[in-house]
Amino acid sequence: MGKPTGFMEFDRLSEASLPVADRLANYNEFVLHLTDDQAKTQGARCMDCGVPFCTSGCPVNNIIPDWNDLVFRGNWRAALDVLHSTNNFPEFTGRLCPAPCEAACTLNINNDAVGIKSIEHAIIDKGWENGWVVPQVPAQKTGKKVAVVGSGPAGMACAQQLARAGHDVTVFEKNSRIGGLMRYGIPDFKMEKSHIDRRVAQMEAEGVTFKTSTFIGSECEAGVNNMAVATISPEALLAQFDAVVLSGGAETPRDLPVPGRELSGIYNAMQFLPQQNRVNAGDVLPEQLRATGKHVVVIGGGDTGSDCVGTSNRHGALSVTQIEVMPRAPEQENKPLTWPNWPLKLRTSSSHEEGCNRDWAIATKEFVGSNGKLEKIRAVRVEWQAGKMIEIASSEFELKADLVFLAMGFVSPVQKVLEAFGVEKDARGNIKANTDDYRTSVERVFTAGDMRRGQSLIVWAIREGRQCARSVDEFLMGSSVLPR
């Protein structure tokens, strides 16, 4: 512990953000990482606990007290090495992770948690700025070939680990760019895609081959996002590679089948968000779905809904309303009851701060419109009793809506891929596999990330990708030096 009394002397300092008016004018990132001195002070707040609950709260088990201390002492290069020892892509998690490590921080019991995420963000940004993030080319090749299907964080982490073990790795992505849902589902103002691009360049230098616009499975007749793709069958893939890893995202959205669902103006969030990312990347979309001058209602209170809010505001929506079927969470969690677990509490995102009407405990009854076009939503207020939703009598009301975005989560991965491989599925429609070896029911086929565990966090995807890589390496070589 660099400063034993640091947690008593220094307050938590959150990262600064650009003013709302400035950030609404573009799609650039607006969160500013800590200065060296600020990061040092925040690192001093870490108590170097005998039992570091932050580490166990982190899905990749980041060795947080160590790099907090190294930052406090100004040893940034060593801090980066410690950070990279458990996390392939801290620039992703340092921007996008909700930080369960901070919820588990011992200081969080009766004080403000250590700003772990902000320190991680500062470490990796300094690493890139100083040229410390370089390719790790294997000393020798194994001659084994591995195919990774899906280029999100699970697929990228798995591919990088396997390449560093000396295997020839090819990553297949059905879209025209690498990154999966991380590229197309996360708005640029939360994470600019240049961060993905430079990791791809690093991985290519390490020997990873990326093949885009390639669908693995049965024939993909309509293409992907109206773009032509090549199709490779599972049989052909298994004939070319010694092992295959299925690491796609959970892309099947939860729908809302109420009367009027067929009206024009109702879209799943992932019909909306990827389009803006594509335009930002230079694609031309003549019929881009835009919220400009419209009354927007977002149904669903999670991160995806928040992303729809932020994007709609940047389009210049007349109004943005986000509704949620669950009751409003408390402003402050019951720490003695929940610590060190992830707490239930009200979370206000940067997109909410930019302008949004929020309401809770609302169920959508009907979409209403004329001439096939949406005009309003008919809804009712609800309360929850013994886990059951009950409508409140005489509480029906209407919301004006030109556009509705359904952001209620995702139920399963693309079933076409699972069915083409013939893998056994669990009750939720995900691939059935355990976390001991990540093997599917099909010989030489492994799985990791959302395809195995369902919709989850980027940090969980990285963990599963890393652990799956070790299992694949053990399968191919009989043993592995890769960490779990």
Side-chain angles (χ1 to χ4, degrees), residues 154 181 247-251 412-413 428 430-431 447-458 460-461 464:
L181 292 175
S247 58
E251 298 183 55
S412 69
R428 298 182 300 156
N430 302 317
I431 300 176
T447 186
D450 286 5
M451 273 192 168
R452 193 203 69 83
R453 67 180 290 117
Q455 178 191 359
S456 192
L457 303 176
I458 285 175
W460 273 109
E464 295 218 345

Side-chain angles (χ1 to χ4, degrees), residues 33 74 88 100 110 116 124 128 138-139 145 147 152-153 186 243 283 287 295 299 311 323 342 355 376 381 386 415 438:
H33 66 67
N88 294 65
N110 61 354
I116 299 167
I124 185 59
W128 282 109
K145 298 171 62 178
I186 304 294
D283 291 353
E287 298 182 2
H295 296 283
I299 301 178
T311 303
I323 60 177
W342 184 248
K376 57 187 176 182
R381 298 196 176 274
Q415 295 300 304
Y438 290 88

Side-chain angles (χ1 to χ4, degrees), residues 173-326:
E173 169 58 52
K174 67 180 183 297
N175 288 289
S176 59
R177 297 181 182 89
I178 295 298
L181 292 175
M182 189 167 53
R183 180 179 291 275
Y184 291 109
I186 304 294
D188 287 2
F189 55 80
K190 289 178 68 175
M191 187 184 79
E192 294 175 10
K193 303 310 178 283
S194 58
H195 301 298
I196 301 175
D197 295 336
R198 62 187 179 186
R199 280 296 180 182
V200 169
Q202 179 198 33
M203 292 171 65
E204 287 177 330
E206 293 171 345
V208 178
T209 299
F210 292 94
K211 291 192 175 181
T212 57
S213 301
T214 306
F215 183 80
I216 307 300
S218 55
E219 188 66 29
C220 186
E221 298 176 358
V224 177
N225 296 305
N226 299 317
M227 302 178 72
V229 298
T231 301
I232 300 177
S233 70
E235 294 78 15
L237 202 66
L238 285 164
Q240 298 176 46
F241 293 89
D242 299 296
V244 172
V245 177
L246 302 180
S247 58
E251 298 183 55
T252 305
R254 183 173 285 107
D255 203 5
L256 187 59
V258 299
R261 175 63 179 87
E262 73 286 351
L263 291 171
S264 172
I266 305 167
Y267 302 90
N268 293 311
M270 290 303 294
Q271 293 176 281
F272 174 57
L273 297 174
Q275 288 193 0
Q276 186 59 57
N277 286 5
R278 292 178 187 281
V279 170
N280 293 346
D283 291 353
V284 177
L285 301 181
E287 298 182 2
Q288 182 191 358
L289 179 58
R290 293 189 60 85
T292 310
K294 296 181 180 180
H295 296 283
V296 176
V297 176
V298 179
I299 301 178
D303 288 340
T304 304
S306 174
D307 294 343
C308 290
V309 170
T311 303
S312 296
N313 278 326
R314 281 162 177 74
H315 282 184
L318 282 178
S319 68
V320 182
T321 302
Q322 185 176 25
I323 60 177
E324 164 67 61
V325 73
M326 299 303 293

